[in-house]
């Protein structure tokens, strides 16, 4: 595959969508073809699964059912959007990917890591990020930002303790894979975070980070 696969991770409200929009403009200004997508979602079947996952009416969803739905959405998104875009040479920017499952369903819900890793292999079909930005923020700060948007969805409505376990799960992943996962302090102003993202991208693509 000739394209590049870049993912953004972090707790709710950490600024992923904001940074993906800025990075898209940065890359397109340099002549890159960019495909932006998100998890769960990004295509008709994954969007339908997203609606089930985030619906507060499904408060009693079993953690394993939740895990399998995230992986099902991922399998379809990889098949339908991510792999074809990478094969066509595009830069794919994805708002969340398998690291989110390890953090939320692993660290957050307590599901075993070996089961998660097996399902990631099945769902991702060998497609894995070249670079991941972890926008790190204390759970309370992220939820405060996100809750400014209105009623919380099923996952947002979890306790601060759950979201803090998720945050620690992300940090643990980054500690184990420092080459792929770059931690950025997401409490900094938008422009400062964007500068750090561009520096990481410049290293990957070999061009100047300013712009
Ligand atoms: N989930 C899971 O459990 N397992 C999985 O495998 C996957 C996902 C893939 C998807 O929710 C939920 O599914 C998610 C994890 C779970 N739930 N939680 N929690 P989603 O897609 O609806 O939401 P999200 O992915 O968590 O993203 P978000 O809430 O849309 O936030 P964001 O994209 O990271 O942030 P933003 O929209 O760019 O910014 C949020 C606000 O902060 C906005 O008002 C911005 O203007 C502001 N902002 C952004 N940057 C800054 C800075 N630097 N300073 C100050 N304010 C800022």
């Amino acid at each position: 595959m000739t394209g590049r696969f870049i993912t953004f991770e972090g707790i709710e409200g950490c600024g992923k969508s904001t940074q993906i929009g800025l990075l898209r403009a940065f890359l397109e200004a340099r002549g890159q073809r960019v495909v932006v997508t998100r998890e769960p979602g990004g295509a008709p079947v994954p969007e339908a699964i997203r609606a089930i996952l985030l619906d507060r009416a499904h408060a009693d969803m079993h953690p394993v059912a939740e895990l399998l739905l995230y992986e099902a959405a991922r399998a379809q998104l990889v098949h339908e959007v991510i792999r074809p875009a990478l094969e066509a040479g595009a830069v794919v920017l994805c708002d969340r990917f398998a690291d989110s499952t390890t953090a939320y369903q692993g660290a957050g819900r307590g599901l075993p890591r070996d089961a998660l890793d097996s399902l990631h292999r099945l769902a991702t079909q060998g497609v894995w990020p070249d670079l991941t930005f972890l926008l790190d923020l204390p759970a309370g700060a992220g939820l405060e930002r996100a809750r400014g948007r209105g009623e919380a969805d099923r996952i947002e409505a979890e306790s601060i303790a759950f979201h803090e376990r998720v945050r620690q799960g992300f940090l643990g992943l980054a500690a184990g894979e420092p080459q792929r996962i770059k931690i950025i302090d997401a409490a900094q102003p938008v422009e400062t975070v964007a500068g750090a993202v561009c520096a990481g991208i410049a290293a990957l693509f070999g061009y100047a980070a300013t712009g």
Side-chain angles (χ1 to χ4, degrees):
M1 282 181 284
T2 55
R4 297 289 192 161
F5 185 27
I6 295 157
T7 58
F8 284 74
E9 298 282 6
I11 61 158
E12 185 83 17
C14 65
K16 296 178 279 75
S17 314
T18 303
Q19 294 301 325
I20 286 172
L22 294 170
L23 179 57
R24 171 185 222 155
F26 177 87
L27 288 168
E28 286 180 345
R30 284 155 181 78
Q32 298 283 352
R33 190 165 84 76
V34 179
V35 171
V36 171
T37 191
R38 69 169 179 179
E39 281 212 2
V45 168
E47 287 291 337
I49 295 173
R50 176 187 176 89
I52 296 169
L53 278 163
L54 299 187
D55 189 340
R56 285 189 74 160
H58 302 150
D60 63 350
M61 188 182 293
H62 191 278
V64 175
E66 180 183 89
L67 165 66
L68 294 174
L69 285 172
Y70 278 113
E71 296 287 2
R74 178 164 305 130
Q76 186 65 30
L77 184 70
V78 167
H79 165 72
E80 194 174 337
V81 176
I82 299 176
R83 180 186 290 282
L86 294 173
E87 286 175 349
V91 180
V92 176
L93 306 182
C94 194
D95 189 333
R96 301 193 178 282
F97 196 61
D99 295 325
S100 275
T101 311
T102 306
Y104 280 86
Q105 282 63 54
R109 302 279 191 227
L111 293 177
R113 181 69 189 268
D114 57 344
L116 301 181
D117 288 345
S118 298
L119 287 167
H120 292 346
R121 277 194 294 279
L122 193 63
T124 62
Q125 305 144 53
V127 170
W128 202 249
D130 296 296
L131 181 62
T132 296
F133 293 106
L134 171 55
L135 305 187
D136 179 53
L137 198 62
L143 289 174
E144 198 172 306
R145 284 186 192 171
R147 282 173 185 160
R149 287 180 311 215
E151 203 197 347
D153 64 35
R154 192 178 61 87
I155 308 281
E156 279 170 27
E158 289 289 342
S159 65
I160 290 269
F162 171 86
H163 289 283
E164 196 53 46
R165 281 200 302 281
V166 171
R167 179 193 184 198
Q168 296 306 324
F170 278 125
L171 288 170
L173 277 173
E177 283 188 77
Q179 283 301 111
R180 174 176 70 88
I181 305 178
K182 306 296 179 199
I183 304 173
I184 299 176
D185 176 3
Q188 303 175 102
V190 170
E191 302 71 29
T192 310
V193 177
V197 169
C198 288
I201 289 294
L204 184 69
F205 286 84
Y207 44 56
T210 52

